[in-house]
Amino acid sequence: MSDAPTPPSHSESPPSHRESKSAINVRPAEDGDVEALVRLWDACGLTRPWNDARQDIAFARSGPASDVLVGTRAGAIVASAMVGHDGHRGAVYYVAADPALRGEGLGRLIMEAAEAWLVARGVWKLNLLVRRSNAGVIGFYENMGYKEEEVVGMGKRL
């Protein structure tokens, strides 16, 4: 059993279950959050022309194996992480912290919330992919305990 907070399921009304010293609330994304999420992801350089961010959000929120978590301060979205699992391994995408608030621990807070979401669903390993063009965040993830593994990431557009 874990001491980590249990994030709410898709069907529950999310309580304010996770706050930091700077009053950040982490909760599942809601319908009204989509445009603010896309703006945050654009500001963080996470969007790509070949991925429809709005479609990614809708898909992640459509089933029990994935969700989009948002960190809010005074009602504004300041952090996010898309989290999900395939029944065996977990993954996170679109990890973002408002560039104007970097250094306040938002990245760590949202990653810890994503990890807690996975643990609450019985997932024991998180696979993390970092674009080579975003190598500056590798130290951040290493400080959180992530290590480079001897694997090759491959993909194919369907």
Side-chain angles (χ1 to χ4, degrees):
M1 185 164 232
S2 171
D3 292 328
T6 302
S9 71
H10 286 275
S11 61
E12 294 175 338
S13 176
S16 295
H17 69 277
R18 182 137 184 139
E19 291 192 62
S20 74
K21 61 182 178 255
S22 53
I24 304 298
N25 179 56
V26 177
R27 61 169 173 75
E30 300 168 352
D31 292 344
D33 296 331
V34 173
E35 295 309 314
L37 274 167
V38 173
R39 282 191 303 275
L40 175 64
W41 296 352
D42 282 341
C44 293
L46 298 177
T47 57
R48 295 296 183 266
W50 54 87
N51 288 338
D52 181 335
R54 289 164 188 81
Q55 183 178 359
D56 288 349
I57 293 165
F59 188 69
R61 294 181 62 225
S62 69
S66 58
D67 211 341
V68 180
L69 303 178
V70 296
T72 63
R73 176 188 283 164
I77 294 176
V78 296
S80 77
M82 183 180 290
V83 61
H85 67 87
D86 62 9
H88 184 68
R89 299 282 194 251
V92 295
Y93 306 91
Y94 291 110
V95 176
D98 185 327
L101 302 174
R102 293 263 163 89
E104 293 190 21
L106 299 177
R108 178 173 291 277
L109 179 78
I110 202 71
M111 279 300 294
E112 288 173 349
E115 291 171 356
W117 188 97
L118 291 165
V119 167
R121 286 152 182 83
V123 179
W124 59 93
K125 180 159 190 286
L126 193 156
N127 290 332
L128 178 67
L129 299 173
V130 177
R131 287 188 180 108
R132 292 186 196 282
S133 62
N134 196 15
V137 302
I138 291 176
F140 164 76
Y141 289 115
E142 287 173 340
N143 285 335
M144 289 196 68
Y146 291 84
K147 296 177 181 14
E148 187 173 338
E149 296 183 334
E150 294 296 321
V151 297
V152 173
M154 299 178 73
K156 177 181 177 183
R157 296 227 173 259
L158 304 175

